[in-house]
């Protein structure tokens, strides 16, 4: 390394290295140095010996700003209390304030300090005298808890965040919040013989916290988002009810081939009926409308929707990709891109869950039978006059009766969650039974063949030995 004259003199000195900042007093006299700066070369060079003897740079001790500020924060919420340890708190605040705001705190006289501390206390005492005696007791107990927590946190060195509101309310316990907010009617339901199906919060997919609000909204929307019940007579002149049934029966087979979820099929039929309720269509474009609505429903419901080319292929290339895309634009513009619809499948999930509450072990046959009966109504044009929730409730009613005829299929739990009494379901249940028994001799059997498979427990082959009309 580079050896300068001053460094060579230093090494030759027996006392070792001189201090970094020697004092300017020699022999009791003040000595004025020419310059306190060193050459740049000496400043940039560091040695092990110099670093060993170098003293650490002293810094001012930082006070715990947050604790100091919070020490007096609870005072404004304690009416009629005296300020304790005022002088110590003033000193700490005086030290902290310049650090917080970045500038010096102006000097205050003792009289001014006393006025600053006493004036807010006087105002708080006046406000406290106006409040009632009951509120004073509640606030005093709450503030004592806050004061104890602050003092304990200051002693233990742990800072607790205290929300300073004008009205201090103790936080409810977990049991209180659960009983009061999430289960407000549990005792009332139990007294009426109704099973609470939303009492279990372990399965997040059931959305039990919001299920009641969701279905409240669906019940309101099913009255608004309905297709016309007589559009075949009023608007459509080139297609018939039978053509519509053939189209839907074919779409059931398409959904099975592509393994689409049931919601896609229900939404497809809903979109077809909404479009036919508003727009006249020719017979040659009816199949184009069907595959287009299934394409839209697949994009809305499916994770991996089939491509446009696949829907063109299942029509034996009767329609081109451009025609499908053009029809898709017409359907979406007519519906104003509002694709969410309260279909029968949405209500059926809720009602089946309520029906399973009466069983110790969930019945798979009940779920399959209710879905089978509900899908049969998609093909029949006459069921458009019934609400989706009414069809779902009737499917559950008839499914329970077919599987178990030893007791009445309706109970207070189903009546509570479906909002239908047993007598209100009479017409729809009888019509649904005729549809299951195929009293009209319909040749469309795609749904029947679907539910004859063993994976659906062959529920399409089951019938009831007793007539259902005796239940009403």
């Amino acid at each position: 390394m580079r050896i300068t004259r001053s460094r060579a003199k230093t090494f030759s000195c027996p006392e070792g290295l001189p201090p970094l900042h020697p004092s300017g007093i020699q022999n009791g006299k003040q000595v004025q140095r020419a310059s306190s700066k060193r050459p740049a070369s000496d400043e940039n060079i560091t040695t092990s010996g110099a670093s060993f003897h170098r003293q650490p740079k002293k810094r001012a001790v930082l006070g715990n700003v947050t604790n100091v500020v919070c020490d007096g924060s609870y005072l404004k919420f304690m009416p009629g209390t005296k300020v304790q340890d005022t002088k110590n708190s003033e000193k700490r605040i005086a030290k902290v304030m310049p650090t917080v705001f970045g500038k010096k705190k102006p000097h205050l006289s003792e009289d001014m300090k006393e006025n600053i501390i006493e004036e807010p206390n006087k105002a708080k005492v006046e406000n406290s005298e106006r409040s009632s005696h009951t509120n004073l007791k509640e606030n005093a107990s709450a503030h004592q808890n806050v004061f104890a927590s602050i003092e304990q946190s200051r002693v233990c060195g742990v800072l607790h965040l205290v929300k300073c509101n004008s009205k201090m309310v103790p936080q409810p316990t977990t049991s209180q919040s659960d009983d009061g907010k999430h289960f407000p009617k549990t005792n009332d339901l139990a007294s009426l013989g109704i099973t609470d199906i939303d009492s279990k919060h372990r399965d997040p997919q059931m959305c039990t916290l919001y299920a009641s609000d969701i279905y409240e909204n669906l019940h309101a929307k099913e009255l608004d988002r309905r297709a016309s019940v007589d559009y075949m007579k009023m608007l459509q002149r080139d297609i018939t009810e039978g053509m519509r049934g053939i189209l839907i029966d074919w779409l059931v087979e398409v959904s099975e081939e592509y393994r689409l979820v049931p919601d896609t099929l229900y939404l497809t039929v809903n979109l077809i009926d909404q479009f036919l309720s508003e727009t006249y269509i020719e017979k040659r474009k009816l199949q184009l409308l069907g595959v287009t609505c299934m394409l839209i429903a697949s994009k809305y419901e499916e994770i991996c929707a089939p491509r446009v080319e696949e829907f063109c292929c299942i029509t034996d290339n009767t329609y081109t990709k451009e025609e499908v895309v053009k029809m898709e634009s017409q359907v979406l513009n007519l519906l104003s891109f509002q694709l969410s619809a309260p279909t029968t499948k949405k209500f059926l999930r809720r009602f089946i869950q309520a029906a399973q509450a009466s069983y110790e072990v969930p019945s798979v046959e009940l779920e399959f039978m209710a879905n089978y009966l509900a899908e049969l109504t998609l093909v029949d044009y006459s069921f458009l006059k019934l609400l989706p929730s009414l069809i779902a409730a009737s499917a559950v009613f008839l499914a329970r009766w077919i599987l178990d005829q030893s007791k009445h299929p309706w109970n207070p739990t189903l009546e509570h969650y479906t909002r239908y009494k047993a007598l209100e379901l009479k017409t729809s249940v009888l019509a649904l039974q005729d549809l299951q028994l195929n009293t009209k001799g319909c040749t469309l059997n795609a749904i029947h063949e679907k539910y004859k498979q063993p994976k659906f427990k062959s529920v399409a082959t089951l019938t009831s030995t007793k007539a259902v009309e005796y239940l009403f």
Side-chain angles (χ1 to χ4, degrees):
M1 65 179 176
R2 182 180 177 186
I3 303 299
T4 60
R5 294 181 180 178
S6 59
R7 194 170 295 278
K9 185 177 180 181
T10 302
F11 289 154
S12 61
C13 182
E15 291 81 8
L17 291 176
L20 295 177
H21 302 285
S23 61
I25 302 176
Q26 296 180 1
N27 300 326
K29 295 182 180 180
Q30 185 74 19
V31 180
Q32 184 177 3
R33 291 178 293 178
S35 176
S36 62
K37 295 183 180 180
R38 293 185 177 182
S41 59
D42 293 343
E43 289 289 334
N44 295 333
I45 299 173
T46 58
T47 60
S48 59
S51 61
F52 178 80
H53 292 279
R54 181 174 299 174
Q55 299 178 358
K57 184 178 180 180
K58 294 183 179 180
R59 297 182 180 179
V61 178
L62 296 178
N64 196 335
V65 179
T66 312
N67 280 341
V68 173
V69 175
C70 290
D71 284 342
S73 60
Y74 66 90
L75 295 177
K76 61 181 180 180
F77 303 111
M78 300 178 62
T81 57
K82 295 182 180 181
V83 180
Q84 298 179 357
D85 199 6
T86 306
K87 295 183 179 180
N88 295 333
S89 61
E90 290 175 11
K91 292 179 181 179
R92 280 182 290 178
I93 294 174
K95 292 181 180 179
V96 171
M97 294 299 285
T99 307
V100 175
F101 297 103
K103 54 185 178 180
K104 295 183 178 180
K105 185 177 183 297
H107 180 71
L108 300 177
S109 61
E110 294 296 328
D111 297 335
M112 295 176 65
K113 292 180 181 178
E114 293 177 358
N115 293 335
I116 292 175
I117 296 174
E118 291 178 0
E119 287 178 0
N121 291 334
K122 291 180 180 179
K124 288 164 185 142
V125 171
E126 293 176 358
N127 293 332
S128 64
E129 292 176 354
R130 299 173 186 174
S131 60
S132 62
H133 182 67
T134 305
N135 293 333
L136 282 175
K137 289 185 176 180
E138 294 178 355
N139 291 337
S141 61
H143 297 321
Q144 289 177 1
N145 295 334
V146 175
F147 175 77
S149 62
I150 294 176
E151 291 295 324
Q152 184 178 2
S153 64
R154 186 169 56 183
V155 173
C156 298
V158 180
L159 176 63
H160 298 280
L161 296 178
V162 180
K163 186 176 181 181
C164 298
N165 295 327
S166 58
K167 184 177 181 180
M168 301 293 293
V169 180
Q171 294 293 332
T173 60
T174 305
S175 60
Q176 291 176 351
S177 62
D178 291 343
D179 295 339
K181 184 177 181 181
H182 302 318
F183 313 107
K185 298 180 180 180
T186 303
N187 297 331
D188 297 340
L189 294 178
S191 62
L192 297 175
I194 300 173
T195 304
D196 186 10
I197 64 176
D198 295 326
S199 59
K200 297 181 180 179
H201 296 262
R202 294 182 179 180
D203 189 1
Q205 294 183 351
M206 300 306 296
C207 301
T208 55
L209 292 175
Y210 316 103
S212 59
D213 295 334
I214 291 173
Y215 282 93
E216 183 76 25
N217 187 27
L218 290 177
H219 278 286
K221 279 190 174 181
E222 69 174 344
L223 299 175
D224 300 334
R225 304 294 304 277
R226 293 187 64 188
S228 177
V229 298
D230 56 351
Y231 66 81
M232 286 291 181
K233 296 180 180 179
M234 302 300 297
L235 182 61
Q236 304 299 332
R237 299 182 300 273
D238 201 20
I239 61 176
T240 61
E241 299 177 9
M243 294 179 184
R244 174 189 176 275
I246 294 173
L247 173 65
I248 296 175
D249 187 74
W250 175 72
L251 290 176
V252 172
E253 297 179 354
V254 174
S255 65
E256 280 294 294
E257 182 178 354
Y258 286 99
R259 298 181 180 179
L260 304 179
V261 296
D263 299 82
T264 303
L265 178 62
Y266 281 90
L267 183 57
T268 300
V269 177
N270 183 273
L271 297 179
I272 292 173
D273 290 328
Q274 287 194 60
F275 186 85
L276 293 178
S277 301
E278 301 291 337
T279 306
Y280 169 79
I281 193 172
E282 299 177 356
K283 180 172 59 177
R284 63 182 183 86
K285 291 186 177 181
L286 183 60
Q287 189 180 17
L288 175 62
L289 174 64
V291 295
T292 303
C293 290
M294 181 160 279
L295 173 64
I296 297 173
S298 300
K299 292 180 178 179
Y300 187 81
E301 297 287 354
E302 301 290 336
I303 298 176
C304 298
R307 297 178 300 172
V308 183
E309 292 81 5
E310 297 181 63
F311 284 104
C312 295
C313 181
I314 61 177
T315 62
D316 198 12
N317 294 321
T318 305
Y319 309 102
T320 62
K321 179 181 177 181
E322 289 74 16
E323 290 177 321
V324 175
V325 173
K326 183 179 179 181
M327 179 60 72
E328 181 184 14
S329 176
Q330 293 179 8
V331 174
L332 292 175
N333 288 326
L334 179 67
L335 300 176
S336 301
F337 290 82
Q338 297 181 7
L339 303 180
S340 177
T343 60
T344 304
K345 182 62 178 178
K346 296 183 182 299
F347 292 101
L348 200 59
R349 286 194 179 94
R350 181 72 165 176
F351 299 165
I352 290 177
Q353 184 184 3
Q356 299 282 17
S358 59
Y359 298 107
E360 295 181 0
V361 179
S363 176
V364 181
E365 288 82 1
L366 174 63
E367 183 177 356
F368 290 153
M369 178 60 74
N371 281 281
Y372 167 60
L373 297 174
E375 286 190 22
L376 287 176
T377 62
L378 296 176
V379 183
D380 199 329
Y381 172 77
S382 62
F383 278 84
L384 280 178
K385 60 185 178 182
L386 301 180
L387 292 175
S389 60
L390 181 62
I391 296 175
S394 303
V396 174
F397 185 100
L398 186 58
R400 284 174 59 88
W401 176 248
I402 292 174
L403 297 176
D404 185 10
Q405 300 172 14
S406 61
K407 57 183 179 181
H408 198 281
W410 217 239
N411 52 37
T413 302
L414 284 168
E415 182 178 336
H416 172 74
Y417 288 103
T418 62
R419 303 183 181 184
Y420 292 106
K421 297 181 179 180
L423 190 59
E424 297 174 350
L425 303 175
K426 180 179 180 180
T427 305
S428 56
V429 168
L430 294 177
L432 192 57
Q433 187 183 35
D434 293 339
L435 199 60
Q436 181 216 4
L437 299 177
N438 196 14
T439 57
K440 297 180 181 180
C442 181
T443 58
L444 305 176
N445 58 355
I447 299 175
H448 182 77
E449 293 295 328
K450 172 184 175 181
Y451 283 92
K452 280 176 61 176
Q453 302 177 37
K455 66 178 182 180
F456 294 112
K457 302 296 182 180
S458 302
V459 294
T461 60
L462 302 178
T463 56
S464 60
T465 57
K466 297 182 181 179
V468 72
E469 54 264 16
Y470 296 104
L471 297 175
F472 303 101

